[in-house]
Each structure stands twice: as C-alpha cells, then as structure tokens.
Amino acid sequence: MSVVSVSPQNPNALPFWQKPLVQGLWFGSLGMLMFSAGLPATRMAVLDMPPVFVGAGRALIAALLALILLLITRQKLPTAKQWQGLALVALGSVFAYPVLSALALQQVGASHGILVTSVMPLFTAFFGAYLTKQWPRPGFWLFALLGATCVALYALKHSVGPFQLADGYLVLASFLCGFSYAKGAILSKELGSWQVICWALVMSIPVLLPWVWAYQPDYAAVSLQSWLALGYLSVFTMFIGFFCWYKGLSIGGIAKVSQLQLLSPFSGLALCALLLGEPLQWIHWILALVVVACIALGRRFG
C-alpha cells in the first residue's frame, strides 16, 4: 500500500484515511495483532511437534524469506562490529524467545503465557536505558517493579509447586527478547529497521538447520492445524509482522504508534479464547489491565 507524501505545512489537506498518523496506526495495528497471535499459534503447533522444532523451524523459514529479500534489494553487508550486535539480537529474538516459549507452552496454556510475558516491555525499557545510558526517573522503576510483582504473584499462584518450570522459560524468554529488542533498536539507526531482523535471521541459518534436522517430528502424526500454525509463526509473526510494525512507526511516529503495544495482552487473550477455546477468568483481564497500566504510567512518569 503506497503512502502519499504530504507537506508538513499542510498536513490536514489529505482525507482522514490518508493522514500519516491514521496510516501509521493502521499498519502498527496489523503488526501488533500478528504478534498477539504468536503464543496461541505456538500452543497449537507444539501439540503435534517437538517445541525445539517449532521454535527453530519458524525462525528457519523466516530466515530463508529474509535471505531472498536481502538479495533482491541488494542490501549492503553489515560491518564486523554490526555482526556482533546482530548476534545479540539473534540470541533473544531468533533463538531464546521462539524456543523457550514453545517449551513453556507444552506445559501451560497460551493465555497463561501471554500474561507472564506481558512484562517484556519493561525488560525492553530497562535494557534500552542500560545500553544508551539514559536512565528513567524513579517513577518508572516504581511502576516497573509493581507490574513485575503482579505477574510474579500470578505465576506463583497458578504454578504446580513453588515455581513452574514453564514460568521460568517464559520469564527468561521475555528477559532475553527484551534485550534483543533494545539492541535491535540501536542497530536500526545504522542498518535500517527491517534490515536488523533480516540479518539476524540470516546469520542464524547455520545453527537453525541442525536444530530443525535433529528435532524433526513424526510427520505422519502432525495435523494440518499444527502445520498452519507453524506457517503462521514463520511468515507473519517472525517476518511480515515486523514490516507492518516498523512501517507504522516510521509513518505515524514512534511515540504515538508504539502505544499500541499496550493493547497486545488484551488482543492475545481474546485470540486464546477464540482460537483455542481457553476459558478466561476475571483475574486474567484484571492482571492484563494492571500490567498495561503499570507500563503506561511508567512511561508517563519515567
């Protein structure tokens, strides 16, 4: 979809649906919804496939698509220093989050996973502050601690024993992915936004190939639903979703469009009920609301 350029002196001359902010919110919403369906789709895929195969397989398919795109657009190779940063991006976004979340969702429902991983923006903000040396004010940390505490209490209450292994996987996945997002945001100033995830995917191919080969499922026992879920994760969650999200940020502005992240837990919970039939309780919605409020207030006062 083409974007009409407008003169900054006359931004109101365009119809409502062609205004930069409206188009930015449209593309940003598409990206957010694609990401929201990631954990429900992962839950569907791991019902018939090994979790490592799901995590590595989705990344491998996305990596092959990224390689084709980089070749077609003739992108310049990153420098040696940039490759080091891309390796850190790949650690969280290509390996840790896809594989660890798949391992966790063999044991818990997708709605549980969405709530536990809803603290990822707080990890992203922390690492962004650490890497850029621009530390937020104390108000941010107060709300960050409150949001993380609420999620921890929820995980403990709904775990088997003192702490369920699946919750550990989900927290570690969010921690490492938050770091990779912050690192990727810094690299995007040098390489471009979508180029960062594409190069991180491509450089991971030598590791992803043996993982996929070693953890192959019994193909005859895999249902069509699981294959479709894996395809969705590969094409939309790990590839097209990034393009829609970054396009929305560039058109509508990072500050305004990024607020759509606050809707992700709610859309994710709704998709869990719609696609998986997981029963949602009042505590799910209250916790999602509390975490989103903590993130919003942390940004406001931080």
Side-chain angles (χ1 to χ4, degrees):
M1 181 177 181
S2 62
V3 178
V4 180
S5 60
V6 292
S7 171
Q9 287 77 20
N10 191 22
N12 297 321
L14 289 172
F16 173 77
W17 60 89
Q18 290 185 349
K19 293 182 183 296
L21 178 57
V22 174
Q23 291 199 348
L25 291 172
W26 167 250
F27 280 107
S29 297
L30 285 177
M32 182 271 295
L33 289 173
M34 291 180 196
F35 295 146
S36 297
L39 288 182
T42 301
R43 175 65 175 171
M44 294 169 63
V46 297
L47 295 177
D48 297 326
M49 303 179 191
V52 176
F53 178 85
V54 173
R58 63 187 270 189
L60 179 60
I61 296 173
L64 297 176
L65 295 175
L67 177 60
I68 294 172
L69 179 62
L70 291 171
L71 291 174
I72 290 176
T73 56
R74 298 183 179 181
Q75 296 294 314
K76 183 180 178 181
L77 285 172
T79 64
K81 184 177 181 180
Q82 289 169 339
W83 281 120
Q84 296 175 8
L86 288 168
L88 296 176
V89 174
L91 173 64
S93 297
V94 180
F95 294 105
Y97 189 82
V99 173
L100 291 175
S101 62
L103 287 168
L105 291 179
Q106 270 199 325
Q107 305 174 35
V108 297
S111 57
H112 181 96
I114 286 171
L115 292 174
V116 175
T117 58
S118 63
V119 294
M120 190 188 302
L122 299 177
F123 287 131
T124 305
F126 169 79
F127 283 116
Y130 174 78
L131 293 173
T132 61
K133 307 304 179 185
Q134 297 177 357
W135 295 99
R137 294 194 296 268
F140 169 83
W141 303 113
L142 175 64
F143 287 109
L145 180 61
L146 178 60
T149 300
C150 290
V151 171
L153 291 174
Y154 168 82
L156 288 172
K157 178 177 175 58
H158 292 81
S159 297
V160 178
F163 193 77
Q164 191 163 266
L165 183 60
D167 292 323
Y169 287 147
L170 291 169
V171 172
L172 182 59
S174 301
F175 182 84
L176 293 175
C177 196
F179 174 78
S180 73
Y181 280 173
K183 185 65 177 179
I186 295 173
L187 278 175
S188 66
K189 298 178 182 179
E190 304 172 15
L191 294 172
S193 54
W194 64 265
Q195 289 90 337
V196 169
I197 188 61
C198 283
W199 284 119
L201 285 164
V202 168
M203 74 177 301
S204 305
I205 291 177
V207 179
L208 294 171
L209 277 172
W211 275 25
V212 172
W213 180 264
Y215 289 92
Q216 294 180 78
D218 178 5
Y219 293 105
V222 179
S223 66
L224 176 61
Q225 175 179 282
S226 293
W227 283 121
L228 291 175
L230 180 62
Y232 177 87
L233 290 168
S234 306
V235 177
F236 291 95
T237 301
M238 293 207 69
F239 195 67
I240 297 178
F242 281 100
F243 288 82
C244 291
W245 181 247
Y246 285 133
K247 188 175 183 67
L249 293 175
S250 65
I251 297 174
I254 296 175
K256 294 180 179 179
V257 177
S258 65
Q259 297 303 303
L260 290 169
Q261 287 180 311
L262 301 180
L263 300 177
S264 184
F266 301 103
S267 59
L269 289 174
L271 288 170
C272 287
L274 180 64
L275 299 177
L276 301 174
E278 293 187 1
L280 298 180
Q281 303 172 2
W282 61 269
I283 187 62
H284 295 144
W285 299 108
I286 290 179
L287 179 61
L289 183 61
V290 169
V291 172
V292 165
C294 287
I295 295 172
L297 292 171
R299 291 176 177 176
R300 173 65 179 83
F301 295 104

